[in-house]
Amino acid sequence: MPARRFSKDIIETVSIDCLIFGFRNSELDILLIKHGEGISKGRWALPGGWIRFNESIDDAATRLLTSLTGVSNVFLEQLRAFAEVDRYPGKRVITIAYFALINADNYSLSAGFTASDARWFKLHEIPRLPYDHNKILKTGFQYLQHKVRHEPIGFNLLPKKFTLHQILKLYEAILETELDKPNFRRKLLKMNLLVPCDEKQRDVSHRAANFYRFDKKIYKQLKESGFTFQL
Amino acid sequence: MPARRFSKDIIETVSIDCLIFGFRNSELDILLIKHGEGISKGRWALPGGWIRFNESIDDAATRLLTSLTGVSNVFLEQLRAFAEVDRYPGKRVITIAYFALINADNYSLSAGFTASDARWFKLHEIPRLPYDHNKILKTGFQYLQHKVRHEPIGFNLLPKKFTLHQILKLYEAILETELDKPNFRRKLLKMNLLVPCDEKQRDVSHRAANFYRFDKKIYKQLKESGFTFQL
DNA sequence: TTACAAATAGTCAATTTGACCATAAATTAT
DNA sequence: ATAATTTATGGTCAAATTGACTATTTGTAA
């Protein structure tokens, strides 16, 4: 009989759940995994797990994200705790939700991983999820909508080099509105956060767009001198 | 021998800590309480406590805030969880920090309560606090600085009726800058969030300022029609 | 070589901002 | 009473930004 390790290693009252956003084909995606065991076996849900005694919650979130999806080095920050009394069946479990943005370069998470157990879902095609995961998702999406307007975090959803068209489509998808192309360009470029790359689009059947990259250092400098990102 | 109720009623791995902001005399205050028992006896710290099995964390925060300070019906929302492995001596405790804004009408919290054990501290005169409370404080203050610019929550720190001068001073205290009075007035009034009261200042040795109040309903309407608060 | 598609550039009136100056209304000092 | 003082409130004006457009460029595809 195997030793019952769990109750020694982990904090059984607190879990982590990751809300992982991706962006492809001008649509926002959410990564879900199929539960292999436990109460909600066979159902799609947010990737998550337990916190170990010897790791912080940030470390736990990073570890879980990597072990469940294969990606690392992505934008990851805490959303908040969810703790309705009856959110988890049978026992009292508080979960701390994390918020991750995955860029297109990291999109092929299934490579090497159990592809059938982790899948991107379009934001508006998310099924009914167990526990309070739909609530977490809703909260996280509203947070994204707000945050993307006040901080330059949207770039985390794009490849390192991207076109202005891609950002426009990203913002349209997140904010669920149409935006004026020339005006959006002008405003974004005037911030001087984007550095033009010496490279253009290829294999497109029209004028090739220039690539840009977001420069963290420049943003840090601007912020220190009083600049606030605003779209 | 009294029954050892605690370990049955509460979740011993998760606590609540409240970061309570107040505003008086043009200065930001933080409410601290003196610990009466436990590891950090006699030291000033953020008000907090344990979560009961049969209450949500929002309920726990509300209960603790009221029982420790006597105030109720104040702006209270979750900040986030803090969970460094060694933040609490001896055992692993995750805390969920809450963020409260108390208006001047509720300032006399000591009335009826143990005045010597709860006290307002000026933000820049906070002593060294136990656990990671200074870190929570720093995070919460940065959050306030950000949030107050993008959402009309500052009014929660003022009395129901206030003058434009009071808001100006409030913003100057939070953002730690000087602001141009006429321009600030103009911008704020143009939003149409403030309703002039039919009442003026009294007993001031200069021209009396008009009182205004913040109207939640108007804000809700404006927000639904696309308006975003921005200062 | 022309049609097209999307990128990029430019226009212009209306609005908003930032830096001010001016006046109004209250009290206190003379 | 009148003047001085203090803060509230009202205005001005050039500069910058926005929103709604039109125009031009640059690349494939017919």
Side-chain angles (χ1 to χ4, degrees):
Chain A
M1 183 177 170
R4 192 167 164 275
R5 291 170 53 245
F6 275 1
S7 64
K8 294 284 180 196
D9 292 350
I10 59 168
I11 303 170
E12 283 187 316
T13 43
V14 189
S15 65
I16 299 275
D17 283 302
C18 297
L19 191 51
I20 308 170
F21 288 93
F23 179 70
R24 211 169 37 170
N25 301 328
S26 298
E27 289 212 75
L28 263 184
D29 294 338
I30 297 285
L31 186 70
L32 299 179
I33 64 165
K34 192 174 264 181
H35 274 206
E37 54 179 67
I39 301 160
S40 56
K41 182 173 178 175
R43 293 182 64 182
W44 292 102
L46 297 180
W50 304 101
I51 299 157
R52 293 182 182 152
F53 267 103
N54 62 349
E55 69 185 354
S56 69
I57 49 175
D58 287 358
D59 289 346
T62 306
R63 169 178 59 80
L64 287 164
L65 183 60
T66 303
S67 71
L68 292 169
T69 68
V71 300
S72 54
N73 255 90
V74 297
F75 180 93
L76 178 67
E77 68 171 36
Q78 191 190 130
L79 181 59
R80 67 174 176 86
F82 290 80
E84 290 301 315
V85 173
D86 58 355
R87 63 171 293 280
Y88 195 92
K91 64 176 175 173
R92 180 73 195 268
V93 177
I94 290 171
T95 198
I96 299 170
Y98 274 75
F99 178 89
L101 302 179
I102 294 213
N103 62 46
D105 299 329
N106 274 325
Y107 228 81
S108 57
L109 47 94
S110 35
F113 274 77
T114 49
S116 64
D117 292 354
R119 211 194 98 190
W120 289 108
F121 285 76
K122 289 179 187 171
L123 184 62
H124 293 291
E125 293 176 3
I126 302 283
R128 181 97 86 87
L129 306 176
Y131 320 123
D132 53 0
H133 284 189
N134 288 98
K135 182 182 171 187
I136 294 174
L137 178 62
K138 190 178 170 187
T139 303
F141 177 53
Q142 287 172 347
Y143 180 72
L144 176 63
Q145 288 188 317
H146 183 268
K147 185 126 178 162
V148 89
R149 300 192 49 198
H150 302 293
E151 275 171 74
I153 59 161
F155 308 106
N156 290 296
L157 287 164
L158 298 176
K160 295 271 175 295
K161 297 175 179 183
F162 48 81
T163 65
L164 294 177
H165 179 78
Q166 283 177 291
I167 314 183
L168 181 85
K169 286 298 172 190
L170 174 64
Y171 271 83
E172 287 186 337
I174 293 174
L175 301 178
E176 300 184 313
T177 44
E178 287 212 346
L179 297 167
D180 181 88
K181 211 189 305 190
N183 290 343
F184 184 83
R185 276 179 76 80
R186 178 178 55 183
K187 185 157 187 184
L188 202 51
L189 288 178
K190 184 143 37 186
M191 293 183 189
N192 291 316
L193 287 175
L194 299 187
V195 179
C197 304
D198 222 7
E199 190 181 343
K200 297 196 175 207
Q201 267 184 326
R202 290 152 167 258
D203 305 321
V204 284
S205 66
H206 54 79
R207 178 173 177 178
N210 213 331
F211 282 114
Y212 291 84
R213 64 183 178 79
F214 170 70
D215 194 310
K216 275 186 192 175
K217 287 180 191 170
I218 294 179
Y219 175 58
K220 202 182 160 201
Q221 287 179 349
L222 285 174
K223 208 168 57 167
E224 281 165 4
S225 57
F227 166 82
T228 44
F229 183 88
Q230 171 76 1
L231 271 180
Chain B
M1 183 178 172
R4 192 167 164 277
R5 292 171 50 245
F6 275 0
S7 64
K8 293 286 179 193
D9 292 350
I10 61 170
I11 303 170
E12 283 187 316
T13 42
V14 189
S15 65
I16 299 275
D17 284 303
C18 297
L19 191 51
I20 308 172
F21 288 94
F23 180 71
R24 211 171 37 169
N25 302 329
S26 298
E27 290 212 75
L28 262 185
D29 294 337
I30 297 285
L31 186 70
L32 299 180
I33 64 167
K34 192 175 263 179
H35 275 205
E37 56 178 68
I39 301 159
S40 55
K41 183 174 177 175
R43 293 182 64 182
W44 292 103
L46 297 181
W50 303 102
I51 300 157
R52 294 185 182 150
F53 267 104
N54 62 349
E55 68 185 355
S56 71
I57 49 175
D58 287 358
D59 290 345
T62 305
R63 169 179 59 80
L64 287 163
L65 183 60
T66 302
S67 70
L68 292 169
T69 69
V71 301
S72 54
N73 256 92
V74 297
F75 179 92
L76 178 67
E77 69 171 34
Q78 191 191 130
L79 181 60
R80 67 173 176 85
F82 290 80
E84 289 302 314
V85 173
D86 57 357
R87 63 172 293 281
Y88 195 92
K91 63 176 176 172
R92 180 73 195 271
V93 177
I94 291 171
T95 197
I96 299 170
Y98 274 75
F99 178 89
L101 302 178
I102 293 211
N103 63 47
D105 300 327
N106 275 325
Y107 229 79
S108 57
L109 45 93
S110 33
F113 274 79
T114 49
S116 65
D117 292 356
R119 212 193 97 190
W120 290 107
F121 284 77
K122 289 179 186 170
L123 184 63
H124 294 291
E125 293 176 4
I126 302 283
R128 181 98 85 86
L129 306 176
Y131 320 124
D132 53 359
H133 284 189
N134 288 101
K135 183 181 171 188
I136 293 174
L137 180 61
K138 190 177 172 189
T139 303
F141 178 53
Q142 287 172 349
Y143 181 70
L144 176 63
Q145 289 187 316
H146 183 267
K147 184 124 177 163
V148 88
R149 299 191 51 198
H150 302 293
E151 274 171 73
I153 60 159
F155 308 105
N156 290 296
L157 288 163
L158 298 175
K160 294 274 175 293
K161 296 174 177 184
F162 48 81
T163 67
L164 294 177
H165 179 79
Q166 282 178 290
I167 314 183
L168 181 85
K169 286 299 171 187
L170 174 64
Y171 271 84
E172 287 186 339
I174 294 173
L175 301 177
E176 299 183 315
T177 45
E178 287 212 347
L179 297 167
D180 181 88
K181 211 189 304 190
N183 291 343
F184 184 82
R185 277 180 75 80
R186 178 178 55 183
K187 186 157 186 183
L188 202 50
L189 288 178
K190 184 142 38 186
M191 292 180 188
N192 291 316
L193 287 176
L194 299 187
V195 179
C197 304
D198 220 7
E199 190 180 344
K200 295 197 174 202
Q201 265 183 329
R202 290 153 167 259
D203 305 320
V204 285
S205 65
H206 54 79
R207 176 171 179 181
N210 213 331
F211 283 114
Y212 291 84
R213 63 182 178 79
F214 170 71
D215 194 312
K216 275 186 191 175
K217 286 181 192 169
I218 294 179
Y219 175 58
K220 202 183 160 202
Q221 286 179 350
L222 285 174
K223 209 167 58 168
E224 281 165 5
S225 58
F227 165 82
T228 43
F229 184 88
Q230 170 76 3
L231 271 179

